[in-house]
Amino acid sequence: MPDAERVLVSERIGQLFHEGEGSRDRLEFTEYGGGDRWVVLLHGQLMPRRMHQHLARALAAGGMHVVTLDLLGHGRSDRPADPLMYSMTAFAEQVVALLDHLGAEQAVVGGTSLGANVSLEVAVMAPDRVRGLLLEMPVLDNALEAGILAFGPLLFAARFLPVSISALRLLTRPVPRGLVPFWVGIGLDTLDQRPGPMAAVVHGLFFGRIAPARRMRRAIATPAMVVGHPADPIHPAADAHMLAGEMPDARFVRARSILEWRVSPARLDGLALDFVRECWSAPVPADDPRTA
């Protein structure tokens, strides 16, 4: 596979305006590379799209046209403070709107944590638009208790101790991202929150549907690569393994640790590129929804 650090790919920042629940919201994205073999990568909860910069460059260096999107309430997209604006299905609608905006009939859609779950929603909502699914750390049945423990305090702090969220923002925002290691910068970006929108995001997702129901997941015929990590309570490998077993054309990949794709990405980058290439080279059966 090409070395993403040595193969120069074009990068362009764009925006679209999406009609949501009674509002028109601005969403920002970055394109890497070009061509008709589209890949959309989605970030984790409260994280920016920049978290997928390395993978996007690696896939683009391999010939893919990659787009990373800041979902509503994240990164540089608009951040309304209304919990009703945030749900997995609303996020899936934003991804479909992105494909329409780009003129992409189909894409391999994937992401990490929240991004993986949104990708599943896209596959259920618009199966004809999804060429494949690249899913890391899906959050399903086995993550319920850990998710409550992790995000419950965040919701409490944003609602009842907003000064704590604002103080973190004041401390982290001035730090130049170019002067710190990449993942430190991503952590700083994740801490750059405003109490109202942050509470709305967590509330909207916390009390909504986390992922499509099992019967829906079993009906997803799209090829999928599901990556799970050991010793990760919020994203247990059991959920990833279960999901791979539910979908008829899915494979499970066990990462060596939650840090592998962050600090030593060559193996998983290679597997991801091979999978995406397979998705675009394989013929789609005539009765598959993706031929609609």
Coordinates of all heavy atoms in Angstrom, one line a residue, residues 48-132:
P48 N -13.7 15.8 16.5 CA -13.8 16.5 15.2 C -13.4 15.5 14.1 O -12.9 14.4 14.3 CB -12.6 17.5 15.3 CG -11.6 16.8 16.2 CD -12.4 16.0 17.2
R49 N -13.8 15.9 12.9 CA -13.6 15.0 11.7 C -12.1 14.8 11.5 O -11.7 13.9 10.9 CB -14.2 15.7 10.4 CG -13.5 16.9 9.9 CD -14.3 17.5 8.7 NE -13.6 18.6 8.1 CZ -13.7 19.9 8.4 NH1 -14.5 20.2 9.4 NH2 -13.1 20.8 7.7
R50 N -11.2 15.7 12.0 CA -9.8 15.7 11.8 C -9.2 14.4 12.4 O -8.1 14.0 12.1 CB -9.1 16.9 12.4 CG -7.7 17.2 12.0 CD -7.3 18.6 12.4 NE -7.2 18.8 13.8 CZ -6.1 18.6 14.5 NH1 -5.0 18.2 13.9 NH2 -6.1 18.7 15.8
M51 N -10.0 13.7 13.3 CA -9.4 12.5 13.9 C -9.1 11.4 12.8 O -8.3 10.5 13.0 CB -10.4 11.9 14.9 CG -11.7 11.4 14.3 SD -12.7 10.4 15.5 CE -11.6 8.9 15.7
H52 N -9.8 11.5 11.6 CA -9.6 10.5 10.6 C -8.7 11.0 9.5 O -8.6 10.5 8.4 CB -11.0 10.2 9.9 CG -11.8 9.2 10.8 ND1 -11.2 8.0 11.2 CD2 -13.1 9.3 11.2 CE1 -12.2 7.4 11.9 NE2 -13.3 8.1 11.9
Q53 N -7.9 12.1 9.8 CA -7.1 12.7 8.8 C -6.1 11.6 8.2 O -5.9 11.5 7.0 CB -6.3 13.9 9.4 CG -5.4 14.6 8.4 CD -4.7 15.8 9.1 OE1 -3.7 15.5 9.7 NE2 -5.3 16.9 9.0
H54 N -5.4 10.9 9.1 CA -4.4 10.0 8.6 C -5.0 8.9 7.7 O -4.5 8.6 6.7 CB -3.7 9.3 9.8 CG -2.7 8.3 9.4 ND1 -1.3 8.6 9.1 CD2 -2.8 6.9 9.1 CE1 -0.7 7.5 8.7 NE2 -1.6 6.5 8.7
L55 N -6.1 8.3 8.2 CA -6.7 7.2 7.4 C -7.2 7.8 6.1 O -7.1 7.1 5.1 CB -7.9 6.6 8.2 CG -8.7 5.5 7.5 CD1 -7.8 4.4 7.1 CD2 -9.9 5.0 8.4
A56 N -7.8 9.0 6.1 CA -8.3 9.6 4.9 C -7.2 9.8 3.9 O -7.3 9.5 2.7 CB -9.0 10.9 5.2
R57 N -6.0 10.2 4.4 CA -4.9 10.4 3.5 C -4.4 9.0 2.9 O -4.0 8.9 1.8 CB -3.8 11.1 4.2 CG -4.1 12.6 4.4 CD -3.0 13.3 5.3 NE -3.2 14.7 5.4 CZ -2.5 15.5 6.2 NH1 -1.5 15.0 7.0 NH2 -2.8 16.8 6.2
A58 N -4.4 8.0 3.8 CA -3.9 6.7 3.4 C -4.8 6.1 2.3 O -4.4 5.6 1.3 CB -3.9 5.8 4.6
L59 N -6.2 6.3 2.5 CA -7.1 5.7 1.5 C -7.0 6.6 0.2 O -7.1 6.0 -0.9 CB -8.5 5.8 2.1 CG -8.8 4.8 3.3 CD1 -10.2 5.0 3.8 CD2 -8.5 3.4 2.9
A60 N -6.9 7.9 0.3 CA -6.8 8.7 -0.9 C -5.5 8.4 -1.7 O -5.5 8.4 -2.9 CB -6.8 10.2 -0.5
A61 N -4.4 8.1 -0.9 CA -3.2 7.8 -1.6 C -3.3 6.4 -2.3 O -2.6 6.2 -3.3 CB -2.0 7.7 -0.6
G62 N -4.3 5.6 -1.9 CA -4.6 4.3 -2.6 C -5.6 4.5 -3.7 O -6.1 3.5 -4.2
G63 N -6.0 5.7 -4.0 CA -6.9 5.9 -5.1 C -8.3 6.2 -4.8 O -9.2 6.3 -5.7
M64 N -8.7 6.4 -3.5 CA -10.0 6.6 -3.2 C -10.3 8.1 -3.1 O -9.4 8.9 -2.9 CB -10.3 6.0 -1.8 CG -10.1 4.5 -1.8 SD -11.2 3.6 -2.9 CE -10.0 2.4 -3.6
H65 N -11.6 8.5 -3.2 CA -12.0 9.9 -3.0 C -12.7 9.9 -1.6 O -13.8 9.5 -1.5 CB -13.0 10.3 -4.1 CG -13.3 11.7 -4.2 ND1 -13.9 12.3 -5.3 CD2 -13.1 12.7 -3.3 CE1 -14.0 13.6 -5.1 NE2 -13.6 13.9 -3.9
V66 N -12.0 10.4 -0.7 CA -12.4 10.3 0.7 C -13.0 11.7 1.2 O -12.4 12.7 0.9 CB -11.2 9.9 1.6 CG1 -11.7 9.6 3.1 CG2 -10.5 8.7 1.0
V67 N -14.0 11.6 2.0 CA -14.6 12.8 2.6 C -14.8 12.5 4.1 O -15.3 11.5 4.5 CB -16.0 13.1 2.0 CG1 -16.5 14.4 2.6 CG2 -15.9 13.2 0.5
T68 N -14.3 13.4 4.9 CA -14.6 13.4 6.3 C -15.5 14.5 6.7 O -15.4 15.7 6.2 CB -13.3 13.6 7.2 OG1 -12.6 14.8 6.8 CG2 -12.3 12.4 6.9
L69 N -16.5 14.2 7.5 CA -17.6 15.1 7.8 C -17.7 15.4 9.2 O -17.7 14.5 10.1 CB -19.0 14.5 7.3 CG -20.3 15.3 7.6 CD1 -20.3 16.6 6.9 CD2 -21.5 14.4 7.3
D70 N -17.9 16.7 9.6 CA -18.3 17.1 11.0 C -19.8 17.0 11.0 O -20.5 17.8 10.4 CB -17.8 18.5 11.3 CG -16.4 18.6 11.8 OD1 -15.9 17.5 12.3 OD2 -15.7 19.6 11.6
L71 N -20.3 16.0 11.8 CA -21.8 16.0 11.9 C -22.2 17.2 12.8 O -21.4 17.8 13.4 CB -22.1 14.7 12.7 CG -21.8 13.4 11.9 CD1 -21.9 12.2 12.8 CD2 -22.8 13.2 10.8
L72 N -23.5 17.4 12.7 CA -24.1 18.6 13.4 C -23.7 18.5 14.9 O -23.7 17.4 15.5 CB -25.6 18.6 13.3 CG -26.3 19.8 13.8 CD1 -26.0 21.0 12.8 CD2 -27.8 19.6 13.8
G73 N -23.3 19.6 15.5 CA -22.9 19.7 16.9 C -21.4 19.3 17.1 O -21.0 19.2 18.3
H74 N -20.7 19.1 16.1 CA -19.3 18.6 16.2 C -18.4 19.5 15.3 O -18.8 20.0 14.3 CB -19.2 17.2 15.8 CG -19.9 16.2 16.7 ND1 -21.3 16.0 16.6 CD2 -19.5 15.4 17.7 CE1 -21.6 15.1 17.5 NE2 -20.6 14.7 18.1
G75 N -17.1 19.6 15.8 CA -16.1 20.2 15.0 C -16.5 21.6 14.6 O -16.9 22.4 15.4
R76 N -16.4 21.9 13.3 CA -16.6 23.2 12.7 C -18.0 23.3 12.1 O -18.3 24.3 11.5 CB -15.6 23.6 11.7 CG -14.2 23.6 12.3 CD -13.2 24.3 11.4 NE -11.9 24.4 12.0 CZ -10.8 25.0 11.5 NH1 -11.0 25.7 10.4 NH2 -9.7 25.1 12.1
S77 N -18.9 22.3 12.3 CA -20.3 22.4 11.8 C -21.1 23.2 12.8 O -20.6 23.5 14.0 CB -20.9 21.0 11.6 OG -20.3 20.4 10.5
D78 N -22.3 23.6 12.5 CA -23.1 24.3 13.4 C -23.4 23.5 14.6 O -23.4 22.3 14.6 CB -24.4 24.7 12.7 CG -24.3 25.9 11.8 OD1 -23.2 26.6 11.8 OD2 -25.3 26.2 11.1
R79 N -23.6 24.2 15.8 CA -23.9 23.5 17.0 C -25.1 24.1 17.7 O -25.0 24.8 18.7 CB -22.7 23.7 18.0 CG -21.4 23.1 17.4 CD -20.3 23.0 18.5 NE -19.0 22.6 17.9 CZ -18.0 22.1 18.7 NH1 -18.2 22.1 20.0 NH2 -16.9 21.7 18.2
P80 N -26.3 23.7 17.2 CA -27.5 24.2 17.9 C -27.6 23.6 19.3 O -27.1 22.5 19.6 CB -28.6 23.7 17.0 CG -28.1 22.6 16.2 CD -26.6 22.9 16.0
A81 N -28.3 24.3 20.2 CA -28.5 23.8 21.6 C -29.8 23.1 21.8 O -30.3 23.1 23.0 CB -28.3 25.0 22.5
D82 N -30.4 22.6 20.8 CA -31.7 21.9 20.9 C -31.5 20.4 20.8 O -31.1 19.9 19.8 CB -32.6 22.4 19.8 CG -34.0 21.7 19.9 OD1 -34.3 20.9 20.8 OD2 -34.9 22.1 19.1
P83 N -31.8 19.6 21.9 CA -31.6 18.2 21.9 C -32.4 17.5 20.8 O -32.0 16.4 20.3 CB -32.1 17.7 23.3 CG -32.0 18.9 24.1 CD -32.3 20.1 23.2
L84 N -33.5 18.1 20.3 CA -34.3 17.4 19.3 C -33.6 17.4 17.9 O -34.0 16.7 17.0 CB -35.6 18.2 19.2 CG -36.6 18.1 20.4 CD1 -37.8 18.9 20.1 CD2 -36.9 16.7 20.7
M85 N -32.5 18.2 17.8 CA -31.8 18.2 16.6 C -30.8 17.0 16.4 O -30.3 16.8 15.3 CB -30.9 19.5 16.5 CG -31.8 20.8 16.6 SD -32.8 21.0 15.1 CE -31.6 21.2 13.9
Y86 N -30.6 16.3 17.5 CA -29.6 15.2 17.5 C -30.2 13.8 17.7 O -30.9 13.6 18.7 CB -28.6 15.5 18.6 CG -27.9 16.9 18.5 CD1 -28.3 17.9 19.3 CD2 -26.9 17.1 17.5 CE1 -27.7 19.2 19.2 CE2 -26.3 18.3 17.4 CZ -26.7 19.4 18.2 OH -26.1 20.6 18.1
S87 N -29.9 13.0 16.7 CA -30.3 11.6 16.8 C -29.5 10.8 15.7 O -28.9 11.4 14.8 CB -31.8 11.4 16.5 OG -32.1 11.7 15.2
M88 N -29.5 9.5 15.9 CA -28.7 8.7 14.9 C -29.4 8.9 13.5 O -28.7 8.9 12.5 CB -28.7 7.3 15.3 CG -27.9 7.0 16.6 SD -26.1 7.3 16.2 CE -25.5 7.0 17.9
T89 N -30.7 8.9 13.4 CA -31.3 9.0 12.1 C -31.1 10.4 11.5 O -30.9 10.5 10.3 CB -32.8 8.8 12.3 OG1 -33.4 9.6 13.3 CG2 -33.1 7.3 12.6
A90 N -31.1 11.5 12.4 CA -30.8 12.8 11.9 C -29.3 12.8 11.3 O -29.1 13.4 10.3 CB -31.0 13.8 13.0
F91 N -28.4 12.2 12.0 CA -27.0 12.2 11.5 C -27.0 11.4 10.2 O -26.2 11.8 9.3 CB -26.1 11.5 12.5 CG -25.8 12.4 13.7 CD1 -25.5 11.8 15.0 CD2 -25.8 13.8 13.6 CE1 -25.2 12.6 16.1 CE2 -25.5 14.6 14.7 CZ -25.2 14.0 15.9
A92 N -27.7 10.3 10.1 CA -27.7 9.5 8.8 C -28.3 10.4 7.7 O -27.8 10.3 6.6 CB -28.6 8.3 9.0
E93 N -29.3 11.2 8.0 CA -29.8 12.1 6.9 C -28.8 13.1 6.5 O -28.7 13.4 5.3 CB -31.1 12.8 7.5 CG -32.3 11.9 7.7 CD -33.4 12.6 8.4 OE1 -33.2 13.8 8.8 OE2 -34.5 12.0 8.5
Q94 N -27.9 13.5 7.4 CA -26.9 14.4 7.0 C -25.9 13.8 6.1 O -25.3 14.4 5.2 CB -26.2 15.0 8.3 CG -27.1 15.9 9.1 CD -26.6 16.0 10.6 OE1 -25.4 16.0 10.8 NE2 -27.5 16.3 11.5
V95 N -25.6 12.5 6.3 CA -24.6 11.8 5.5 C -25.2 11.6 4.1 O -24.5 11.8 3.0 CB -24.3 10.4 6.1 CG1 -23.4 9.6 5.1 CG2 -23.6 10.6 7.4
V96 N -26.5 11.3 4.0 CA -27.2 11.2 2.7 C -27.2 12.5 2.0 O -26.9 12.6 0.7 CB -28.6 10.6 2.8 CG1 -29.3 10.6 1.5 CG2 -28.5 9.2 3.4
A97 N -27.4 13.6 2.7 CA -27.4 14.9 2.1 C -26.0 15.3 1.6 O -25.8 15.9 0.6 CB -27.8 16.0 3.2
L98 N -25.0 14.8 2.3 CA -23.6 15.0 1.9 C -23.4 14.3 0.5 O -22.8 14.9 -0.4 CB -22.6 14.5 2.9 CG -21.1 14.5 2.5 CD1 -20.6 15.9 2.3 CD2 -20.3 13.7 3.5
L99 N -23.8 13.1 0.4 CA -23.7 12.3 -0.9 C -24.4 13.1 -2.0 O -23.9 13.2 -3.1 CB -24.2 10.9 -0.7 CG -23.5 10.0 0.3 CD1 -24.1 8.6 0.3 CD2 -22.0 9.9 -0.1
D100 N -25.6 13.6 -1.7 CA -26.3 14.3 -2.7 C -25.5 15.6 -3.1 O -25.5 15.9 -4.3 CB -27.7 14.7 -2.2 CG -28.6 13.5 -2.0 OD1 -28.4 12.5 -2.6 OD2 -29.6 13.7 -1.2
H101 N -25.0 16.3 -2.1 CA -24.3 17.5 -2.4 C -23.0 17.3 -3.3 O -22.7 18.0 -4.1 CB -23.8 18.1 -1.1 CG -23.0 19.3 -1.2 ND1 -23.5 20.6 -1.5 CD2 -21.6 19.5 -1.1 CE1 -22.5 21.5 -1.5 NE2 -21.4 20.8 -1.3
L102 N -22.4 16.1 -3.0 CA -21.2 15.8 -3.8 C -21.4 15.2 -5.1 O -20.5 15.0 -5.9 CB -20.3 14.8 -2.9 CG -19.7 15.3 -1.6 CD1 -19.2 14.2 -0.8 CD2 -18.7 16.4 -1.8
G103 N -22.7 14.8 -5.3 CA -23.0 14.0 -6.6 C -22.5 12.6 -6.6 O -22.3 12.0 -7.6
A104 N -22.4 12.0 -5.4 CA -21.9 10.7 -5.2 C -23.1 9.7 -5.1 O -23.9 9.8 -4.2 CB -21.0 10.5 -4.0
E105 N -23.3 8.8 -6.1 CA -24.4 7.9 -6.1 C -24.2 6.9 -4.9 O -25.2 6.5 -4.3 CB -24.5 7.2 -7.4 CG -25.0 8.1 -8.6 CD -25.2 7.3 -9.8 OE1 -25.2 6.1 -9.8 OE2 -25.4 8.0 -10.9
Q106 N -23.0 6.5 -4.7 CA -22.7 5.5 -3.7 C -21.4 5.8 -3.0 O -20.5 6.5 -3.6 CB -22.6 4.1 -4.3 CG -23.9 3.5 -4.8 CD -23.8 2.1 -5.3 OE1 -22.7 1.7 -5.7 NE2 -24.9 1.3 -5.2
A107 N -21.2 5.3 -1.8 CA -19.9 5.5 -1.1 C -19.8 4.3 -0.1 O -20.8 3.7 0.3 CB -19.9 6.8 -0.3
V108 N -18.5 4.0 0.2 CA -18.2 3.2 1.4 C -18.3 4.1 2.5 O -17.7 5.2 2.6 CB -16.8 2.5 1.3 CG1 -16.5 1.8 2.6 CG2 -16.7 1.6 0.1
V109 N -19.2 3.8 3.5 CA -19.4 4.7 4.6 C -18.9 4.0 5.9 O -19.1 2.8 6.1 CB -20.9 5.0 4.8 CG1 -21.2 5.9 6.0 CG2 -21.5 5.6 3.5
G110 N -18.2 4.7 6.7 CA -17.7 4.1 7.9 C -17.3 5.2 8.9 O -17.4 6.4 8.7
G111 N -16.9 4.7 10.1 CA -16.5 5.6 11.1 C -16.2 4.9 12.4 O -16.2 3.7 12.5
T112 N -15.9 5.7 13.5 CA -15.5 5.2 14.8 C -16.5 5.5 15.8 O -17.0 6.7 15.9 CB -14.2 5.9 15.1 OG1 -13.2 5.6 14.2 CG2 -13.7 5.4 16.5
S113 N -16.9 4.5 16.6 CA -17.9 4.7 17.7 C -19.2 5.3 17.2 O -19.9 4.6 16.5 CB -17.2 5.6 18.8 OG -18.0 5.6 19.9
L114 N -19.5 6.5 17.6 CA -20.7 7.2 17.0 C -20.7 7.1 15.5 O -21.8 6.8 14.9 CB -20.6 8.7 17.4 CG -21.7 9.6 16.7 CD1 -23.1 9.3 17.2 CD2 -21.3 11.1 17.0
G115 N -19.6 7.3 14.8 CA -19.5 7.2 13.4 C -19.9 5.9 12.9 O -20.5 5.7 11.8
A116 N -19.5 4.8 13.6 CA -19.9 3.4 13.2 C -21.4 3.2 13.3 O -22.0 2.7 12.4 CB -19.1 2.4 14.0
N117 N -22.0 3.7 14.4 CA -23.4 3.6 14.5 C -24.2 4.4 13.5 O -25.2 3.9 13.0 CB -23.8 4.0 15.9 CG -23.4 2.9 17.0 OD1 -22.3 2.4 16.9 ND2 -24.2 2.7 18.0
V118 N -23.7 5.6 13.2 CA -24.4 6.4 12.2 C -24.3 5.7 10.8 O -25.3 5.7 10.0 CB -23.8 7.8 12.1 CG1 -24.3 8.6 10.9 CG2 -24.0 8.5 13.4
S119 N -23.2 5.1 10.5 CA -23.0 4.3 9.3 C -24.0 3.2 9.1 O -24.6 3.0 8.1 CB -21.6 3.8 9.2 OG -20.6 4.8 9.2
L120 N -24.3 2.5 10.3 CA -25.3 1.5 10.2 C -26.7 2.1 9.9 O -27.5 1.5 9.1 CB -25.4 0.8 11.6 CG -24.2 -0.1 11.9 CD1 -24.3 -0.6 13.4 CD2 -24.2 -1.4 11.0
E121 N -27.0 3.3 10.5 CA -28.2 3.9 10.2 C -28.3 4.3 8.7 O -29.4 4.2 8.1 CB -28.4 5.2 11.1 CG -28.6 4.9 12.5 CD -30.0 4.4 12.9 OE1 -30.8 4.2 12.0 OE2 -30.2 4.1 14.1
V122 N -27.2 4.7 8.1 CA -27.2 5.1 6.7 C -27.6 3.8 5.9 O -28.3 3.9 4.9 CB -25.9 5.7 6.3 CG1 -25.9 6.0 4.8 CG2 -25.6 7.0 7.0
A123 N -27.0 2.7 6.3 CA -27.2 1.4 5.5 C -28.6 1.0 5.6 O -29.2 0.4 4.7 CB -26.3 0.4 6.1
V124 N -29.3 1.3 6.7 CA -30.7 1.0 6.9 C -31.6 2.0 6.1 O -32.6 1.6 5.4 CB -31.1 0.9 8.4 CG1 -32.6 0.8 8.5 CG2 -30.4 -0.3 9.0
M125 N -31.3 3.2 6.2 CA -32.1 4.3 5.6 C -32.0 4.4 4.1 O -33.0 4.6 3.4 CB -31.6 5.7 6.2 CG -32.3 6.9 5.7 SD -31.7 8.4 6.4 CE -32.2 8.2 8.1
A126 N -30.7 4.2 3.6 CA -30.5 4.3 2.2 C -29.5 3.2 1.7 O -28.4 3.5 1.3 CB -29.9 5.7 1.9
P127 N -30.0 2.0 1.7 CA -29.1 0.9 1.3 C -28.5 1.0 -0.1 O -27.4 0.5 -0.4 CB -30.0 -0.4 1.5 CG -31.4 0.1 1.4 CD -31.3 1.5 2.0
D128 N -29.3 1.7 -1.0 CA -28.8 1.8 -2.4 C -27.6 2.8 -2.5 O -27.0 2.8 -3.5 CB -30.0 2.3 -3.3 CG -30.6 3.6 -2.8 OD1 -30.9 3.7 -1.6 OD2 -30.7 4.5 -3.6
R129 N -27.4 3.6 -1.4 CA -26.3 4.5 -1.5 C -25.0 4.0 -0.9 O -23.9 4.7 -1.0 CB -26.7 5.8 -0.7 CG -28.0 6.4 -1.2 CD -28.0 6.8 -2.6 NE -27.1 7.9 -2.9 CZ -27.4 9.2 -2.8 NH1 -28.6 9.6 -2.3 NH2 -26.5 10.2 -3.1
V130 N -25.0 2.8 -0.2 CA -23.9 2.3 0.6 C -23.2 1.2 -0.1 O -23.8 0.1 -0.3 CB -24.4 1.9 2.0 CG1 -23.2 1.4 2.8 CG2 -25.0 3.1 2.7
R131 N -22.0 1.4 -0.5 CA -21.2 0.4 -1.3 C -20.6 -0.6 -0.3 O -20.4 -1.8 -0.6 CB -20.2 1.0 -2.1 CG -19.5 0.1 -3.1 CD -20.2 -0.1 -4.4 NE -19.6 -0.9 -5.3 CZ -19.9 -1.1 -6.5 NH1 -20.9 -0.4 -7.1 NH2 -19.2 -1.9 -7.3
G132 N -20.3 -0.2 0.9 CA -19.7 -1.0 1.9 C -19.7 -0.2 3.2 O -19.9 1.0 3.3

